[in-house]
């Protein structure tokens, strides 16, 4: 008799208190080198909450987007600084040093869309920022930086940022691309859309994109997708209220996490393999799945 698969686990714990749908998540290291990471969440009401995963409580709340949804969060490696993008057409740079919670700079965005920003941060105290609907302002001398972008027509394009030109573009989906992530070591990426399929694609040495495979889903709608830092597994945030976990190398389904009662808008991995999922039900679930081996 074959062994039955184990049922999916329950969350390790759940964070409550955003009082609004959660649309963005980002892990960052604890202050002063503490082992336990912090989790940042962005809400539909325009607030950024900073959570301690030790106390499971909010330690700070940032209000810089005029009540408009926060769609993207990213800390900078050079210090306690945070980027937040909102549907108020603003991208804010926050100074979080020594308990400060102040906006020190902001950029006006040209497109409100669903597209999140992206940064390329090197070893220098300068970095490159890509934002939706505008050109890029090169501030890092990395050789030939490349940018992958997903579009409303379902295509994925690879840009040469220095030359400001598209190297390659492929049709991956029949609906708008809602999220993508890339494994730069394997030159391979994955994207999700409003349809019932994930697309896996690769970049060859001539910087040409090629669709490698598609993976059919039970229900349509992927709001976000993340590959874990060790490139072993990936997680998707679904419109069907579920988080799906796959083996990255083969796209073998590993688990369906059916905890939330509304759309899962975002997922994020911590360096220690914790997985966070944010939902329209105002909750953030924290999972410990398939720890590093």
């Amino acid at each position: 008799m074959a062994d039955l698969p184990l049922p999916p686990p329950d969350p390790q714990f759940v964070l409550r208190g955003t009082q609004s749908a959660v649309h963005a998540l980002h892990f960052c290291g604890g202050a002063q080198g503490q082992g336990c990471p912090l989790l940042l969440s962005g809400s539909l009401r325009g607030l950024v909450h900073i959570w301690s995963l030790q106390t499971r409580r909010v330690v700070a709340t940032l209000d810089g987007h005029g009540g408009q949804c926060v769609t993207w969060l990213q800390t900078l490696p050079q210090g306690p600084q945070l980027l937040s993008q909102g549907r108020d057409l603003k991208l804010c740079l926050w100074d979080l040093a020594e308990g400060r919670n102040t906006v020190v700079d902001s950029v006006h965005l040209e497109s409100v869309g669903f597209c999140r920003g992206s940064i390329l941060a090197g070893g220098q105290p300068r970095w490159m920022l890509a934002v939706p609907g505008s050109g890029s302002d090169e501030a890092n001398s990395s050789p030939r930086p490349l940018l992958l972008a997903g579009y409303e027509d379902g295509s994925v394009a690879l840009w040469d940022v220095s030359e400001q030109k598209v190297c390659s573009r492929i049709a991956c989906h029949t609906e708008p691309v809602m999220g993508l992530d890339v494994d730069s070591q394997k030159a391979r990426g994955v994207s999700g859309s409003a349809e019932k399929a994930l697309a896996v694609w690769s970049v060859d040495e001539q910087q040409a994109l090629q669709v490698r495979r598609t993976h059919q889903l039970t229900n349509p709608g992927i709001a976000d997708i993340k590959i874990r830092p060790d490139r072993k597994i990936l997680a998707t945030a679904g419109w069907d209220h579920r988080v799906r976990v796959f083996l990255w190398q083969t796209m073998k389904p590993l688990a369906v996490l059916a905890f939330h009662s509304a759309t899962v808008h975002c997922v994020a991995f911590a360096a220690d393999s914790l997985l966070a999922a944010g939902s329209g039900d105002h909750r953030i679930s924290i999972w410990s799945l398939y720890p590093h081996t």
Side-chain angles (χ1 to χ4, degrees), residues 89-111:
L89 294 177
K90 272 177 44 179
L91 187 140
C92 296
L93 176 64
W94 300 81
D95 177 13
L96 305 181
E98 300 175 353
R100 291 192 290 272
N101 300 319
T102 55
V103 176
V104 295
D105 202 355
S106 64
V107 175
H108 179 76
L109 305 178
E110 296 178 4
S111 171

Side-chain angles (χ1 to χ4, degrees), residues 38-101:
L38 299 172
L39 177 64
L40 290 79
S41 68
S43 77
L44 181 64
R45 291 185 177 180
L47 300 179
V48 176
H49 295 98
I50 303 177
W51 300 84
S52 165
L53 298 186
Q54 290 178 317
T55 64
R56 304 177 188 177
R57 295 181 180 276
V58 173
V59 297
T61 300
L62 314 180
D63 185 359
H65 289 283
Q68 298 294 308
C69 181
V70 177
T71 58
W72 180 63
L73 296 167
Q74 176 70 52
T75 50
L76 300 180
Q78 287 82 15
Q81 293 179 304
L82 168 69
L83 290 169
S84 66
Q85 177 184 337
R87 292 183 70 84
D88 59 343
L89 294 177
K90 272 177 44 179
L91 187 140
C92 296
L93 176 64
W94 300 81
D95 177 13
L96 305 181
E98 300 175 353
R100 291 192 290 272
N101 300 319

Side-chain angles (χ1 to χ4, degrees), residues 18-213:
T18 63
Q19 300 180 337
S20 181
V22 180
H23 280 256
L25 289 170
H26 177 66
F27 283 101
C28 65
Q32 285 81 46
Q34 294 176 359
C36 191
L38 299 172
L39 177 64
L40 290 79
S41 68
S43 77
L44 181 64
R45 291 185 177 180
L47 300 179
V48 176
H49 295 98
I50 303 177
W51 300 84
S52 165
L53 298 186
Q54 290 178 317
T55 64
R56 304 177 188 177
R57 295 181 180 276
V58 173
V59 297
T61 300
L62 314 180
D63 185 359
H65 289 283
Q68 298 294 308
C69 181
V70 177
T71 58
W72 180 63
L73 296 167
Q74 176 70 52
T75 50
L76 300 180
Q78 287 82 15
Q81 293 179 304
L82 168 69
L83 290 169
S84 66
Q85 177 184 337
R87 292 183 70 84
D88 59 343
L89 294 177
K90 272 177 44 179
L91 187 140
C92 296
L93 176 64
W94 300 81
D95 177 13
L96 305 181
E98 300 175 353
R100 291 192 290 272
N101 300 319
T102 55
V103 176
V104 295
D105 202 355
S106 64
V107 175
H108 179 76
L109 305 178
E110 296 178 4
S111 171
V112 69
F114 294 99
C115 185
R116 304 174 181 97
S118 183
I119 64 167
L120 174 65
Q124 305 299 319
R126 300 173 65 128
W127 37 273
M128 186 181 296
L129 170 67
V131 293
S134 99
S136 60
D137 182 12
E138 185 170 346
N140 184 6
S141 58
S142 298
R144 297 183 65 81
L146 301 174
L147 175 70
L148 284 155
Y151 291 87
E152 289 190 4
D153 65 0
S155 67
V156 172
L158 178 68
W159 284 83
D160 183 320
V161 176
S162 299
E163 298 291 332
Q164 299 185 29
K165 69 176 184 179
V166 175
C167 303
S168 178
R169 188 165 185 157
I170 52 170
C172 294
H173 305 277
T174 59
E175 297 286 344
V177 176
M178 304 300 294
L180 60 82
D181 202 1
V182 64
D183 178 348
S184 57
Q185 291 195 12
K186 296 179 181 177
R188 196 162 64 110
V190 59
S191 53
S193 76
E195 65 184 358
K196 296 171 60 174
L198 300 174
V200 178
W201 30 265
S202 62
V203 183
D204 65 19
E205 294 180 354
Q206 285 73 45
Q207 298 177 353
L209 286 164
Q210 182 177 352
V211 176
R212 291 297 181 182
R213 64 186 300 176

